Amino acid sequence: MFSKETYIDRRAELKKLVKDGIIIIFGNNESPVNSPANGYSPFRQDSSFLYYFGQKREGLVGVIDIDENKETLIGNDIDIEDIVWFGSVDTVKELGEQVGVMHSAPMKELKTICSNAMRSGRKIHFLPPYRSDIKIQIFDLIGIHPNQQKESASLDLINAIVKMRSVKTAEEIEELERAAIIGYKMHTTAMRLTKPGLTEKFVAGNVDGVANSYGSMVSFPTIFSQHGEIMHGNPSMAELKDGRLVLCDCGGETINHYCSDNTRTFPVNGKYTQRQLDIYNVVVEAHDAVLELAKPGIKYADVHFAICRIIFNRMKELGLAKGDTDAAIAAGAHAMFLPHGLGHMMGMDVHDMEALGQIYVGFDEETRPNLEQFGTNCLRMGRRLQEGFVVTDEPGIYFIPALIDEWREKKHCSEYLNFDKLDAYKDFGGIRLEDDILITKDGCRFIGKDRIPYLPKDVEAYMNA
């Protein structure tokens, strides 16, 4: 947790941005695995609640009455039954005081606060809920049905939080640097362990253990798969095979819940083939080009399409693509190789603030998403970069057999793709390289003092040391 003053200052700025009404920020409750007493562990607090109220205990709600300049931490104190099992904990009043909130109340008081506000015609600001229990609670409190709550969420509050959380402060950047250390340990553990005969599950389980031992938890479910063409390939019981590539996309959270997110693709046997290097080096070129292109004032969508041009041009050199590059990208042909966006915001969430709505986080009135074109519709971050933004740089090249077959059958982008040659890559898999970058005053830099090996010679040297 940061200093008390950090949370006081954040709430003060939030009040200025939202201007009037009552802000309600719900913390998370325990989420049961298969019974109420068997919850997912460790407990993960809602990120916006953490940002403004700092406390990790379940069953809390933060209330900010802008008009009366009153802040209240809502929650029930635990009873002796809980103390027997979990030990003594601070009272809700004490939790509030630790982050500069001088008022506290039991959960039943929240209904009174909401009823009084509605009776007076005051605006109640809440965020789009993503958990069913919170949706039911909102329904009980203010009578908005769960299927209407996303549309009824406060746009003023969403925009204010996006504005604040997008630009990382010095203390947040320090936390992200700590997260990068965890990410480095996770990825190098995977490289050291990987060899033919082990299962994907075995390596991924060890990788997850690193996150648990050095921080709070993984920042998202670890992706570790020889089928790198599957974007979110869960680790399976499949044995690692000599000659295959394995894609590892993982990250950890610090104790204060700031995330890392990196991807590496490496040979199971520790040695790339020339065929693999032909594709891998294109991804390296695209990955490194972002460092030259990303800077304040530049649209990340423009960086994305610059990377698409690099990839498509190199695919033409390898005989897998053809035709005018700009026309091919306008038609969406590049998505055969790169069917996702270049990156996303990073911070307290690995896809930072995604629950608030990607259209508000990654886009703005100037830069709008293209939801119609395959591949481009997965671009999460398109708006102009600002100093203090943290985004991922994650180009990739994938050979997806079902996509190749479908586009061939439909003759989709046939003037730009050599399907006969693509057929020969159906057994290839996919390659992705990902790092987290901080937008600085004049450009950008990678987050993390130690670079996870990614150049082919460095990967091979590390795996065979």
Side-chain angles (χ1 to χ4, degrees):
M1 194 162 63
F2 297 126
S3 69
K4 178 193 298 187
E5 288 68 32
T6 291
Y7 300 103
I8 291 172
D9 291 345
R10 286 174 175 176
R11 294 192 300 271
E13 180 64 19
L14 185 64
K15 284 185 274 191
K16 289 178 185 176
L17 292 171
V18 179
K19 294 185 173 61
D20 57 36
I22 293 178
I23 297 169
I24 301 178
I25 299 180
F26 292 87
N28 284 335
N29 300 311
E30 287 281 14
S31 183
V33 178
N34 53 10
S35 69
N38 185 22
Y40 281 97
S41 180
F43 168 74
R44 179 53 157 91
Q45 184 62 281
D46 174 78
S47 295
S48 289
F49 184 90
L50 279 173
Y51 189 83
Y52 293 103
F53 290 92
Q55 297 292 0
K56 301 177 184 179
R57 209 205 83 175
E58 77 286 350
L60 298 175
V61 180
V63 177
I64 303 173
D65 189 324
I66 301 172
D67 306 318
E68 296 186 8
N69 196 27
K70 179 180 179 181
E71 301 169 348
T72 307
L73 187 63
I74 305 284
N76 295 327
D77 290 326
I78 70 169
D79 57 24
I80 192 63
E81 293 288 335
D82 289 322
I83 291 173
V84 167
W85 291 101
F86 301 108
S88 296
V89 298
D90 293 336
T91 65
V92 174
K93 181 176 185 295
E94 290 167 336
L95 293 174
E97 289 172 348
Q98 290 164 14
V99 293
V101 176
M102 294 299 104
H103 301 278
S104 62
M107 189 58 70
K108 64 181 182 181
E109 185 65 22
L110 187 56
K111 178 68 173 178
T112 302
I113 291 172
C114 291
S115 297
N116 289 342
M118 289 188 291
R119 192 177 304 114
S120 303
R122 299 176 65 198
K123 193 179 298 183
I124 298 177
H125 302 274
F126 64 89
L127 296 172
Y130 54 90
R131 288 194 172 192
S132 297
D133 54 334
I134 302 301
K135 292 180 181 181
I136 293 170
Q137 189 174 9
I138 292 172
F139 184 44
D140 289 341
L141 290 169
I142 54 182
I144 299 176
H145 193 277
N147 64 17
Q148 298 174 323
Q149 289 171 10
K150 183 178 179 180
E151 291 73 21
S152 301
S154 170
L155 192 53
D156 289 336
L157 181 58
I158 290 170
N159 286 333
I161 291 178
V162 169
K163 180 180 177 66
M164 292 183 66
R165 285 181 58 187
S166 292
V167 178
K168 305 302 187 283
T169 62
E171 60 187 354
E172 289 183 287
I173 293 167
E174 288 177 9
E175 278 296 316
L176 289 164
E177 295 283 359
R178 294 186 187 102
I181 294 172
I182 300 172
Y184 177 86
K185 292 179 184 292
M186 294 171 75
H187 276 275
T188 51
T189 294
M191 288 182 181
R192 283 275 195 246
L193 279 177
T194 293
K195 63 180 180 181
L198 297 178
T199 66
E200 294 174 358
K201 272 273 192 186
F202 178 82
V203 178
N206 279 270
V207 167
D208 288 355
V210 173
N212 295 336
S213 61
Y214 284 96
S216 171
M217 58 191 291
V218 294
S219 53
F220 58 95
T222 294
I223 298 163
F224 189 86
S225 176
Q226 295 168 104
H227 285 282
E229 78 278 8
I230 301 173
M231 300 300 112
H232 289 170
N234 293 324
S236 72
M237 291 302 294
E239 287 189 1
L240 298 172
K241 300 296 185 183
D242 195 353
R244 294 291 298 274
L245 292 172
V246 65
L247 186 151
C248 181
D249 186 346
C250 66
E253 289 192 10
T254 67
I255 293 298
N256 286 323
H257 299 290
Y258 282 79
C259 300
S260 66
D261 183 7
N262 303 93
T263 306
R264 294 294 185 263
T265 308
F266 44 90
V268 169
N269 63 10
K271 180 70 176 176
Y272 294 98
T273 67
Q274 187 56 52
R275 182 172 182 252
Q276 290 165 350
L277 285 173
D278 289 343
I279 305 299
Y280 190 92
N281 285 327
V282 178
V283 182
V284 170
E285 180 183 354
H287 168 273
D288 291 355
V290 175
L291 278 185
E292 303 300 320
L293 297 170
K295 61 188 66 176
I298 299 297
K299 291 182 183 179
Y300 211 49
D302 291 341
V303 181
H304 167 79
F305 286 113
I307 296 310
C308 292
R309 282 191 287 275
I310 289 173
I311 290 173
F312 200 84
N313 281 331
R314 298 297 173 264
M315 293 298 96
K316 288 199 296 185
E317 292 172 5
L318 292 171
L320 298 169
K322 58 188 177 181
D324 180 76
T325 296
D326 288 338
I329 289 172
H334 63 282
M336 170 58 71
F337 309 107
L338 179 60
H340 61 73
L342 179 61
H344 50 79
M345 286 280 206
M346 265 281 304
M348 211 177 258
D349 306 309
V350 71
H351 291 165
D352 211 20
M353 300 172 283
E354 189 171 51
L356 305 185
Q358 204 61 49
I359 196 168
Y360 307 117
V361 178
F363 299 89
D364 53 22
E365 291 183 3
E366 178 193 18
T367 308
R368 308 306 292 164
N370 178 348
L371 301 178
E372 304 302 320
Q373 188 182 72
F374 175 79
T376 307
N377 62 346
C378 292
L379 181 62
R380 289 189 172 101
M381 177 66 187
R383 61 191 280 207
R384 290 190 188 278
L385 299 168
Q386 297 178 34
E387 182 180 358
F389 280 15
V390 175
V391 296
T392 59
D393 163 17
E394 49 178 311
I397 295 175
Y398 313 88
F399 297 96
I400 305 168
L403 188 64
I404 295 170
D405 290 342
E406 180 177 286
W407 282 25
R408 178 204 288 273
E409 182 181 346
K410 294 181 177 179
K411 295 183 171 52
H412 180 63
C413 291
S414 58
E415 63 270 47
Y416 305 114
L417 299 168
N418 289 322
F419 287 105
D420 289 342
K421 293 197 174 182
L422 283 169
D423 281 341
Y425 282 81
K426 284 183 176 179
D427 64 346
F428 187 92
I431 294 171
R432 180 165 64 252
L433 295 175
E434 177 183 15
D435 284 299
D436 308 324
I437 60 175
L438 169 69
I439 306 304
T440 60
K441 182 179 179 181
D442 300 315
C444 66
R445 69 167 177 84
F446 288 132
I447 289 181
K449 177 175 67 69
D450 295 319
R451 181 71 41 239
I452 303 164
Y454 76 97
L455 296 175
K457 62 180 178 60
D458 295 334
V459 173
E460 292 177 347
Y462 193 87
M463 293 184 72
N464 292 291

